[in-house]
Amino acid sequence: MELIKKNIHMDRIKCRAATQITLEDDRNVPDQKPDMERLILERGSVVVDEIKPTEDHVNVKGKLEFRILYMAQDGGANRMEGQLPFEEQVYMDGVRNGDTVEAEPLLEDLSIDMINSRKLSVRALIAMTLSVEELYDEEIAVELYHDEPVETRKELLTLTEIAIQKKDILRFKEEIEMPQSFPNIFEMIWEDVKILGMTFEALNEQIVAQGEIQVFVLYEGEGEEKPLKCFEKIIPFREILECQGCRESMAPDLSWKISHSEVEVRSDFDGEERVVCLDLVLDLDMKLYEEEQVEALKDVYGVSKDVQAVVKQGIFSRMMLRTSGRTKIAEQVKLPAGSPEMTEICHSSGEVSIDDTQLAEDGVELTGTLTVEAIYPAGEERGLASFRCELPFRYVLETPGISEACNYDITPVIEQLMVTALSSSELDVKGVLGFGLLGFCSSEEDTITDISITEPDMEVLKELPTIVAYVAKDGDDLWKLGKKYYVPLEQIRETNHLSSDLLKAGDKILIVR
């Protein structure tokens, strides 16, 4: 006999750990920078420089990079940048020297305050998740080639495999020309580049990435007064990534991060500084999963000999969950007391975070926050001012079939965000948040690893009657009867004129050996 097996390729988390890192320090304004009057914007990002695993521990080195935009006492706008290094040793049960550890840092909180006109206080809270993923294979028997009279029983399983795993990059080069109503650029002061609403779609041999790039620049214009100008542009994109072996039936699970972002100014054809050049690079971590139906061999028995299956348990991804949904947010928000009056909004942006997830009936309840930031003119003498607010949300993402046994990731995106000034002290915020869920439900399955064949116990065979009139009980089927009495299934079907192997309690079955 020859047992034919199929290899199922899957991935899993070998080990995982989480930690929080608190950073706090003071930074002086560089001597060449003017004194600060008030802060307008702050930005921060976490850079992991080194991950070194040892026995049950991981050493992580990195830095918090921050930058601020501030109004100077001389009336102009300026920026300041700095770093706060960190090193953390994290206990991670199961990690070994040589493992590839992935780090996912999240800047949960960043607070930058003025101590005085020449000194800043910087405080940050970083949440970091460390994980080691591994690929593994499970073999599942699908066929048995044999010369002996043997009965086989199969079951149709829907299994999920990891079909493609690789890394790639996505690069954007854009040139943005200032509108004619804007002055030439004398000096670039601040830039913000964000990716909005990024989605991925699997096609045959390709992956399509779609979304928008939000580019915001603040600059001093040419002229004696050097006017402060804000300019914003939304650039939609649809990029095609070649991906050998990709099929439309696959589910993409792609994560990305900005690895390089550069904004420069160059001259146009007339030699005037009016063109903003963007060079943006995204690092992509790509996984594609595919469902496959497999007829698995679940049991065997012999008619003339004892045929026994050697069984072990394997862990398989049985079900793939894919769903998406969206919710709206609409709020009217007042400026804090003492804020400069507002006439218009020159730039707004948002960040969405999920604070908690709970299983609900046929879905996942999401609780989170939409953080909205807006920049507005504060009058000719006061330059610019900013406003920041946090809008909570609660939303149930419908996901039929989800349970405690499922592992899932939820990706939030801001699909739309509009911030408008209702009055000198009130904002209207409207947004659409989108959520995508990709999850897997695993199960343990008995898999046949080998077949043993022995001569039957003659004493057992002698005790079996040659003709049996059997009354079926709950849970009986032809397989149980055939295996018990060493009778081929087809023979029982023909004797009893049956078209199905299913039995109901009370059915009368004649078995002839």
Side-chain angles (χ1 to χ4, degrees):
M1 291 189 182
E2 183 183 2
L3 192 62
I4 306 302
K5 300 177 183 179
K6 179 176 177 59
N7 199 54
I8 307 298
H9 197 51
M10 294 171 286
D11 65 335
R12 62 188 172 195
I13 300 294
K14 175 186 172 183
C15 50
R16 175 180 282 159
T19 188
Q20 285 189 329
I21 303 169
T22 302
L23 301 176
E24 185 173 357
D25 204 354
D26 297 340
R27 287 291 187 269
N28 294 322
V29 177
D31 292 340
Q32 68 272 23
K33 297 284 185 180
D35 289 353
M36 297 180 293
E37 180 182 304
R38 68 176 186 276
L39 304 183
I40 302 172
L41 287 179
E42 59 188 42
R43 292 287 183 267
S45 60
V46 181
V47 178
V48 176
D49 296 319
E50 182 182 273
I51 303 175
K52 185 177 291 185
T54 57
E55 196 79 6
D56 291 330
H57 289 84
V58 178
N59 196 68
V60 183
K61 289 183 181 180
K63 55 183 173 286
L64 166 69
E65 296 182 340
F66 69 89
R67 58 191 177 114
I68 63 163
L69 175 67
Y70 68 92
M71 290 304 300
Q73 291 183 1
D74 61 10
N78 218 304
R79 69 188 288 167
M80 172 184 162
E81 299 173 347
Q83 298 179 352
L84 269 64
F86 64 83
E87 182 173 357
E88 189 85 359
Q89 187 174 68
V90 184
Y91 175 74
M92 189 173 181
D93 188 25
V95 72
R96 298 292 179 266
N97 189 19
D99 283 346
T100 300
V101 181
E102 296 291 337
E104 294 182 21
L106 175 64
L107 184 57
E108 286 195 338
D109 184 57
L110 176 63
S111 178
I112 302 178
D113 299 304
M114 285 177 54
I115 297 174
N116 55 49
S117 62
R118 302 298 301 176
K119 181 177 286 190
L120 292 169
S121 169
V122 183
R123 298 184 301 276
L125 178 62
I126 302 170
M128 186 171 296
T129 302
L130 303 172
S131 61
V132 176
E133 292 187 352
E134 64 179 0
L135 298 175
Y136 73 105
D137 296 311
E138 291 278 12
E139 288 186 328
I140 193 162
V142 295
E143 194 59 80
L144 179 65
Y145 292 149
H146 53 85
D147 297 325
E148 300 285 342
V150 173
E151 292 291 327
T152 60
R153 186 177 196 177
K154 294 183 178 181
E155 181 182 341
L156 188 64
L157 302 178
T158 301
L159 306 177
T160 302
E161 291 189 88
I162 182 167
I164 297 172
Q165 183 176 20
K166 68 173 188 174
K167 296 184 182 296
D168 207 337
I169 64 168
L170 192 57
R171 186 162 198 165
F172 303 94
K173 282 183 172 290
E174 298 286 341
E175 293 188 352
I176 305 166
E177 190 164 353
M178 291 290 110
Q180 289 299 318
S181 57
F182 280 67
N184 294 347
I185 300 171
F186 176 73
E187 183 181 1
M188 183 81 72
I189 298 174
W190 185 265
E191 73 285 336
D192 253 347
V193 179
K194 291 189 175 183
I195 303 292
L196 306 177
M198 174 82 92
T199 62
F200 298 95
E201 180 185 3
L203 300 177
N204 290 331
E205 306 296 326
Q206 296 176 335
I207 292 177
V208 177
Q210 295 188 89
E212 295 177 331
I213 304 173
Q214 182 188 47
V215 182
F216 169 71
V217 295
L218 173 68
Y219 70 94
E220 282 186 350
E222 285 184 352
E224 291 184 5
E225 297 182 357
K226 294 184 180 177
L228 207 56
K229 290 295 180 179
C230 299
F231 177 76
E232 182 177 281
K233 187 173 180 65
I234 301 293
I235 305 170
F237 65 84
R238 184 179 187 273
E239 296 290 327
I240 295 178
L241 297 163
E242 300 300 323
C243 185
Q244 187 174 1
C246 183
R247 292 184 290 275
E248 290 186 25
S249 58
M250 293 180 180
D253 180 16
L254 279 76
S255 59
W256 57 270
K257 64 179 179 181
I258 296 177
S259 61
H260 176 75
S261 178
E262 186 176 359
V263 178
E264 293 182 332
V265 180
R266 74 162 181 81
S267 303
D268 62 10
F269 291 112
D270 296 325
E272 297 180 325
E273 301 286 308
R274 301 190 58 81
V275 179
V276 175
C277 300
L278 170 66
D279 185 5
L280 182 66
V281 180
L282 306 184
D283 286 344
L284 305 179
D285 191 355
M286 307 169 61
K287 296 180 185 176
L288 288 101
Y289 295 90
E290 189 170 35
E291 285 188 337
E292 183 176 1
Q293 290 192 324
V294 179
E295 262 200 322
L297 194 63
K298 301 300 287 185
D299 200 3
V300 298
Y301 72 84
V303 174
S304 61
K305 293 185 178 181
D306 268 332
V307 179
Q308 298 291 331
V310 180
V311 175
K312 78 172 186 71
Q313 279 196 330
I315 299 177
F316 296 88
S317 292
R318 286 292 306 273
M319 178 168 50
M320 182 163 58
L321 306 170
R322 279 189 287 175
T323 189
S324 61
R326 55 176 55 89
T327 186
K328 293 181 179 179
I329 288 183
E331 295 283 347
Q332 293 181 359
V333 185
K334 287 188 175 295
L335 296 179
S339 298
E341 290 190 349
M342 170 180 52
T343 56
E344 62 176 339
I345 303 294
C346 60
H347 171 63
S348 62
S349 63
E351 296 283 348
V352 58
S353 61
I354 297 175
D355 303 323
D356 188 36
T357 60
Q358 296 287 337
L359 288 187
E361 187 176 355
D362 288 331
V364 182
E365 184 178 71
L366 311 177
T367 304
T369 305
L370 171 64
T371 302
V372 178
E373 197 169 56
I375 302 175
Y376 62 92
E380 291 185 6
E381 295 183 357
R382 302 204 62 186
L384 296 174
S386 66
F387 171 73
R388 181 186 177 96
C389 66
E390 294 184 349
L391 306 178
F393 66 84
R394 189 181 299 272
Y395 173 67
V396 176
L397 180 60
E398 293 185 6
T399 315
I402 197 165
S403 69
E404 294 285 354
C406 298
N407 296 315
Y408 57 87
D409 290 316
I410 298 175
T411 304
V413 295
I414 299 176
E415 295 187 354
Q416 296 177 29
L417 180 64
M418 184 169 62
V419 182
T420 54
L422 296 177
S423 68
S424 61
S425 62
E426 191 172 18
L427 296 166
D428 182 53
V429 180
K430 292 180 180 177
V432 178
L433 308 182
F435 304 93
L437 181 146
L438 179 64
F440 305 93
C441 295
S442 299
S443 67
E444 293 185 349
E445 294 288 338
D446 287 339
T447 61
I448 297 176
T449 60
D450 202 0
I451 300 292
S452 68
I453 306 173
T454 59
E455 293 297 328
D457 188 332
M458 299 308 297
E459 294 298 323
V460 174
L461 292 180
K462 285 178 183 179
E463 292 179 1
L464 292 177
T466 56
I467 299 178
V468 179
Y470 185 84
V471 179
K473 306 181 189 67
D474 284 334
D476 280 340
D477 58 14
L478 291 193
W479 180 266
K480 289 183 179 180
L481 300 180
K483 187 174 184 178
K484 179 178 180 179
Y485 293 103
Y486 291 80
V487 179
L489 295 180
E490 187 60 33
Q491 183 176 314
I492 302 177
R493 294 190 198 102
E494 290 179 357
T495 302
N496 294 274
H497 306 290
L498 298 174
S499 59
S500 171
D501 290 354
L502 301 177
L503 297 176
K504 300 190 298 292
D507 285 351
K508 297 179 177 61
I509 303 297
L510 184 64
I511 302 170
V512 181
R513 292 187 63 247

